[in-house]
Amino acid sequence: MNTEPRRLSTAEERRQTVLRTAIGAFAARGYFGTTTGEVAKAAGISQAYIYRLFPNKEALFTAVVEHCFTRVRAALEQGAAEAAGSEAQVVLDSMGDAYARLISDNDLLLVQLHAQAAAVSEPALREAVRAGYARTVEYVRGASGGSEEQIQNFFAAGMLCHLIVSLDASSVDAPWTRTLAAGIVHY
C-alpha cells in the first residue's frame, strides 16, 4: 500500500498536459474543425477546466502554436550545438537536419500548417505565427552567423520540406516529386 500522500497536479502542469494533448487534437482537424470539448476529452479533463486554463479556443490554439515554436527552437538549438563546425552553412545544415527530424512528428508539422492557414483570417493567430517566426529567424541568424540569403534559403528549404512531408512526396516516383525533393532531407 502506498503511504505517500497523493500529489495533485498544479494548474501549470495541467496547462502543459493540455497543450501536449491539444497538439494532437488540432493536428487532426485544424483550428476551425477542433472543439475545446474534443481537446478536453483527449486530455481527460472537463471542458469547463479547459476554460479555467484558457479563456477561449483562440487562446488555447495560440498557446499550442507558441508551444510548437518552443519545440522548434529547442530542436534548432540542439542542431546548432551538434554542428560539426562553426561555418554558417555547417551550422545551418545541422539545424536543418534537426528540424527535419522534428517534423517527422506529423502532429507538430500539421499544427504548423494549420496555424499558417488560420493566420490568413484570424488576426490573433497571425500575430502568434509572426512572433514565432520572428524569434526563430533571429535565433537562426544569431546561431549560424549566416548571410541574409543563407537564412532565407534555410527557411525556404524548411517550407519545401513541409510540402514534401505533407504530400508524402517520397512515396510517389515521378519527375515532379524528384524535382521538389532533390537535396531536401526529410525523415
Side-chain angles (χ1 to χ4, degrees):
M1 182 170 150
N2 187 356
T3 59
E4 291 183 32
R6 184 173 150 212
R7 187 179 81 76
L8 299 176
S9 58
T10 67
E12 185 54 33
E13 290 169 331
R14 249 325 170 188
R15 184 177 160 83
Q16 292 304 313
T17 298
V18 169
L19 288 176
R20 285 189 302 274
T21 304
I23 289 173
F26 283 118
R29 300 196 41 203
Y31 174 70
F32 298 108
T34 304
T35 67
T36 55
E38 291 166 333
V39 174
K41 183 178 179 183
I45 60 176
S46 70
Q47 187 173 11
Y49 196 70
I50 290 277
Y51 286 115
R52 285 183 30 204
L53 298 171
F54 302 93
N56 53 42
K57 183 171 94 168
E58 181 181 87
L60 171 59
F61 190 72
T62 298
V64 166
V65 168
E66 291 168 354
H67 179 77
C68 288
F69 273 110
T70 298
R71 289 185 59 199
V72 168
R73 170 72 178 257
L76 296 176
E77 287 174 350
Q78 181 178 352
E82 294 173 353
S86 60
E87 301 83 14
Q89 196 57 54
V90 171
V91 174
L92 289 167
D93 289 346
S94 186
M95 286 193 294
D97 187 64
Y99 181 73
R101 288 181 194 285
L102 177 67
I103 67 166
S104 68
D105 168 358
N106 282 337
D107 284 352
L108 184 110
L109 170 66
L110 287 169
V111 167
Q112 289 181 316
L113 294 173
H114 287 304
Q116 290 169 10
V120 172
S121 61
E122 298 296 320
L125 301 180
R126 182 180 315 124
E127 189 51 42
V129 173
R130 281 180 180 169
Y133 271 103
R135 288 188 309 270
T136 306
V137 169
E138 293 311 317
Y139 172 74
V140 169
R141 181 191 325 277
S144 70
S147 68
E148 292 296 307
E149 183 179 7
Q150 286 175 307
I151 304 304
Q152 184 184 46
N153 287 338
F154 176 82
F155 281 90
M159 294 297 173
L160 186 54
C161 196
H162 285 185
L163 178 65
I164 291 166
V165 172
S166 68
L167 296 178
D168 192 19
S170 63
S171 70
V172 178
D173 186 23
W176 70 271
T177 58
R178 288 190 297 276
T179 297
L180 289 179
I184 302 294
V185 175
H186 56 283
Y187 298 94

